[in-house]
Amino acid sequence: MEHRSHLYGVMGEFTTPEEFIEAARKVREAGYRRFDAYAPFPVEGLSEAMHLKRNLVPMITLLGGLAGGLGGFGFQYWVNVSSYAMNIGGRPLNSWPAFIPVTFELTILGAALSAVLGMLALNGLPQPHHPVFNVHRFSHASADRFFICIEARDKKFHLVETARFLQGLHAHHVSEVSDD
Amino acid sequence: MSAGQPPLDSPEIRRLTPVLGPGHTYGSVTDKISAIVLTRPTSFGWFVGFAIAFSLMGMMTIAIAWLVTKGTGIWGINIPIGWGFAIVNFVWWIGIGHAGTLISAILFLLNQKWRTSINRFAEAMTLFAVACAGIFPLIHTGRPWLAYWMFPYPSTMGIWPQFRSPLIWDVFAVSTYGTVSLLFWFVGLIPDLATLRDRSIKKPAQIIYGMLAMGWRGSARHWHRYQSAYLLLAGLATPLVLSVHTVVSFDFAIAIVPGWHTTIFPPYFVAGAIYSGFAMVLTIAIPLRKAYNLEDFITMRHLDNMAKVMLATGLIVAYGYFFEFFMSLYSGNKFDVFLVQQRLHGPYAPFYYALILCNILTPQLLWFYKMRHNVAVLFIMSIVVNIGMWLERFVIVVISLTRDFMPSAWGRYSPTFWDWATFIGTIGMFVMLIFLFVRVLPAISIAEMRELVAETSEENK
């Protein structure tokens, strides 16, 4: 197997989402695992074609929401019952219905912050540079073209054969992606 | 019209009015929307509008500087009317700020395709309206430099905020709403910022958009998590948007002041917020589509739908007014009955009648298809509703406070020059931010428009 250290992978370009999904499915069926597909919008059916598993964002969001809610209520409880307890006419210190609005808001805040930050962290963003940007035509990935990049670290990767394989899937402009 | 064609307002034609003009491709929507920011020369009209808005904001800055120097005595407020313009304007702005997240979140969950081309600038409008709203309670404290006392932080004074007070709930509700709206807006912007990064020719633009896009490359794995996060944000923002004006209404409803102490306030405040928010979206959308030739993207279908939402929420608001009246009279509580009389015959009665005219009577024109499809009528209507909703808050705050329980404690309220300068100044700030936004960020979500192109091309097959 030919392996060059400065090679990130081989990239092919597609014009329509249908060809693109079909190609992603075939790449996966051909046994490639280290590859990624790039699209200017979330293409329906792509995740299934690539067998992407359920992601962790919902779980992180749930935990963030629970932390916000429990923390918010717990804090108000601590403030009013322990830290700064004020007995006003014998009214209960833990007047929980009055704590609900702030608890609710903090639940939402915790969940929303963790959804966004969790999504960015799992995606490895912000990331100032990535090898796919070395391909000149890749600027179309944020406009009107779809790309599949099979990475050199995949066990099945072979520069010539992988490139030919992509061409067989009706990819245009199949090109090497350098790693620097 | 040629013979055999169905009349313009027939159901067939209505169903055919698309959410996207015909013949668009991924490339064409990308070009058209990004060109507004990247290649289109800034027009003379833009500079004129910006200059006017900026001057008004300057007036606001002066008014606030004078306020900080002299104190809240420069305003028309005094006991018994301690709230005045500051709270009227706060509630008005925060209400306007409801449409953006409603369009983005609730219509997203309901899978309404027509939200796509209006959600971005509606969200921006939300952020700017919340920013304007935030100014008022801040300066109304009289010592805005101590406003951080409202947040719980371990202080050497050894005390905490009063978590049982609606005013503290408000701090949490509004700041959470501002934060979540910003997150929602920014997450939606990431793919578009990447588009601008890849399409801009000038180096500074590439660097700025590139930093904001955070290296987004449209990877399928990224989109996969992005969609989860976006859906979750929509799900979280939906109860949030309903809660914010509920909490704002608690500022009134928890108090025992006649006309405020009523359980109908939360739902009718929320409906009023959506009502004024959609009115403001129309106020912005109509000139925007005209100025940037976006009639293909913001079609008559959008304007028609927004007018219908306005009509529906306007009717809920009318129901709220009716039941406010009914409950006051039915309760037999003499202070509540007196309040009704004050609204109808008191010194501020003209405001009340103007409110009914703006908010209930005029919008009934929206029942007619021809009115909903007349852009000029819609534009005027949206401004009328905005004025009406401002009057509503004025009526609620001022009439109840000027004449409550004891005649010896009654008073009058009239705003001063500085009240008006601050209020009009925030309108200037709002318009200025909208102008800047339209110039530097895509006013319509490009990624979502591409999705719409994909969906509509599938339908046509």
Side-chain angles (χ1 to χ4, degrees):
Chain A
M1 179 179 140
E2 189 182 359
H3 186 81
R4 282 189 278 161
S5 65
H6 64 272
L7 187 71
Y8 176 76
V10 169
M11 183 185 272
E13 180 181 323
F14 299 86
T15 325
T16 68
E18 292 79 20
E19 285 174 355
F20 174 58
I21 292 182
E22 192 52 34
R25 184 176 295 118
K26 292 217 172 106
V27 170
R28 161 98 199 173
E29 278 165 7
Y32 290 105
R33 289 295 174 271
R34 299 272 187 188
F35 73 99
D36 209 342
Y38 302 89
F41 61 91
V43 179
E44 211 175 318
L46 181 63
S47 299
E48 290 75 21
M50 288 176 65
H51 291 268
L52 293 183
K53 280 178 285 185
R54 290 177 60 184
N55 63 65
L56 279 173
V57 172
M59 183 50 79
I60 294 174
T61 309
L62 176 69
L63 293 177
L66 285 174
L70 294 175
F73 189 87
F75 181 74
Q76 293 180 80
Y77 180 87
W78 174 74
V79 162
N80 285 291
V81 174
S82 154
S83 170
Y84 196 63
M86 272 195 294
N87 185 340
I88 300 165
R91 288 185 182 82
L93 293 173
N94 177 25
S95 56
W96 67 266
F99 302 158
I100 295 302
V102 171
T103 307
F104 172 79
E105 301 298 338
L106 291 176
T107 309
I108 300 282
L109 185 66
L113 281 172
S114 22
V116 175
L117 297 179
M119 181 269 286
L120 291 176
L122 291 172
N123 283 349
L125 299 174
Q127 182 177 1
H129 188 67
H130 191 274
V132 290
F133 289 115
N134 291 330
V135 177
H136 181 64
R137 287 193 61 84
F138 191 73
S139 64
H140 285 276
S142 65
D144 53 356
R145 290 287 187 273
F146 307 85
F147 294 84
I148 290 179
C149 181
I150 301 177
E151 295 170 25
R153 56 188 174 141
D154 193 289
K155 284 196 203 85
K156 256 187 74 114
F157 184 84
H158 182 279
L159 181 58
V160 179
E161 276 171 23
T162 304
R164 205 166 286 153
F165 171 70
L166 274 177
Q167 265 159 353
L169 299 173
H170 309 292
H172 318 285
H173 301 283
V174 175
S175 56
E176 285 182 36
V177 185
S178 69
D179 203 0
D180 40 39
Chain B
M1 196 190 301
S2 64
Q5 217 177 338
L8 264 179
D9 54 348
S10 73
E12 296 89 74
I13 292 285
R14 265 187 241 183
R15 226 180 302 119
L16 289 174
T17 311
V19 287
L20 177 67
H24 276 293
T25 63
Y26 307 122
S28 75
V29 292
T30 309
D31 286 341
K32 190 157 182 185
I33 302 171
S34 61
I36 296 176
V37 178
L38 293 176
T39 54
R40 201 184 156 110
T42 312
S43 67
F44 181 69
W46 188 91
F47 282 109
V48 172
F50 184 83
I52 295 171
F54 191 77
S55 318
L56 290 176
M57 194 186 79
M59 182 172 77
M60 178 192 82
T61 322
I62 294 168
I64 291 176
W66 188 238
L67 176 84
V68 170
T69 317
K70 299 291 280 187
T72 46
I74 65 167
W75 288 347
I77 53 170
N78 208 334
I79 301 302
I81 306 97
W83 277 13
F85 256 38
I87 303 302
V88 173
N89 298 337
F90 161 70
V91 180
W92 187 67
W93 274 123
I94 201 92
I96 286 171
H98 275 56
T101 310
L102 182 103
I103 290 171
S104 315
I106 298 184
L107 297 186
F108 180 76
L109 294 182
L110 297 176
N111 204 9
Q112 294 292 309
K113 277 182 201 154
W114 61 278
R115 85 182 253 292
T116 302
S117 49
I118 54 172
N119 71 333
R120 169 68 47 72
F121 73 83
E123 283 169 43
M125 182 209 78
T126 287
L127 284 174
F128 305 152
V130 170
C132 291
I135 290 175
F136 285 102
L138 194 69
I139 57 177
H140 188 245
T141 58
R143 292 177 179 79
W145 50 93
L146 296 177
Y148 65 91
W149 284 6
M150 287 183 286
F151 286 98
Y153 68 101
S155 72
T156 50
M157 296 178 280
I159 57 169
W160 297 103
Q162 174 54 283
F163 286 110
R164 298 181 184 105
S165 160
L167 301 180
I168 290 297
W169 303 347
D170 233 17
V171 172
F172 281 86
V174 173
S175 53
T176 300
Y177 187 58
T179 313
V180 173
S181 301
L182 182 69
L183 286 175
F184 205 19
W185 186 62
F186 183 70
V187 168
L189 265 173
I190 295 172
D192 286 1
L193 290 165
T195 302
L196 293 179
R197 170 198 67 202
D198 294 342
R199 296 179 76 80
S200 55
I201 308 155
K202 292 180 191 138
K203 196 78 189 166
Q206 286 175 343
I207 291 171
I208 293 167
Y209 289 128
M211 290 214 291
L212 289 170
M214 296 188 297
W216 180 262
R217 53 185 189 273
S219 149
R221 289 163 217 280
H222 291 185
W223 277 122
H224 187 56
R225 296 189 191 103
Y226 177 95
Q227 283 187 297
S228 298
Y230 199 80
L231 182 65
L232 285 164
L233 275 181
L236 291 165
T238 299
L240 178 67
V241 71
L242 299 179
S243 84
V244 175
H245 230 55
T246 301
V247 169
V248 171
S249 81
F250 285 165
D251 291 342
F252 298 89
I254 303 282
I256 56 161
V257 176
W260 291 5
H261 193 62
T262 145
T263 47
I264 201 161
F265 258 35
Y268 126 65
F269 263 55
V270 171
I274 297 166
Y275 188 35
S276 63
F278 268 85
M280 192 57 101
V281 173
L282 273 176
T283 313
I284 297 169
I286 289 169
L288 182 76
R289 73 198 276 272
K290 182 90 187 143
Y292 291 101
N293 309 321
L294 294 172
E295 282 92 346
D296 272 5
F297 297 157
I298 305 171
T299 64
M300 281 318 291
R301 169 99 166 267
H302 295 99
L303 302 185
D304 183 69
N305 280 354
M306 285 192 273
K308 283 178 183 161
V309 174
M310 258 170 66
L311 179 61
T313 47
L315 289 172
I316 301 176
V317 169
Y319 175 85
Y321 295 161
F322 171 75
F323 258 84
E324 241 184 341
F325 250 65
F326 174 77
M327 291 314 290
S328 297
L329 299 175
Y330 189 67
S331 72
N333 179 314
K334 65 179 172 188
F335 298 108
D336 282 344
V337 175
F338 179 71
L339 179 85
V340 170
Q341 289 168 350
Q342 282 307 304
R343 287 191 174 170
L344 293 177
H345 311 297
Y348 297 100
F351 289 88
Y352 190 73
Y353 292 115
L355 151 71
I356 299 293
L357 180 71
C358 291
N359 269 2
I360 300 185
L361 297 180
T362 326
Q364 301 310 318
L365 288 175
L366 294 175
W367 285 102
F368 301 102
Y369 178 82
K370 283 222 169 85
M371 294 293 168
R372 292 200 306 273
H373 280 245
N374 184 331
V375 177
V377 168
L378 277 182
F379 185 69
I380 295 168
M381 192 81 79
S382 69
I383 289 174
V384 167
V385 168
N386 274 318
I387 296 172
M389 286 309 294
W390 186 87
L391 287 168
E392 181 200 299
R393 278 66 182 250
F394 185 87
V395 161
I396 290 173
V397 169
V398 172
I399 297 188
S400 285
L401 284 178
T402 43
R403 297 195 165 172
D404 59 359
F405 302 101
M406 279 210 305
S408 60
W410 287 358
R412 281 289 181 88
Y413 173 77
S414 61
T416 63
F417 168 79
W418 297 109
D419 280 307
W420 284 110
T422 317
F423 176 45
I424 294 169
T426 54
I427 295 177
M429 176 172 129
F430 178 78
V431 174
M432 185 200 77
L433 289 168
I434 294 276
F435 268 73
L436 280 180
F437 160 72
V438 169
R439 193 64 198 83
V440 300
L441 289 171
I444 294 177
S445 170
I446 312 175
E448 286 184 30
M449 288 307 275
R450 291 188 206 110
E451 242 181 307
L452 195 65
V453 170
E455 281 168 20
T456 44
S457 69
E458 265 166 40
E459 276 168 19
N460 293 341
K461 266 175 199 163

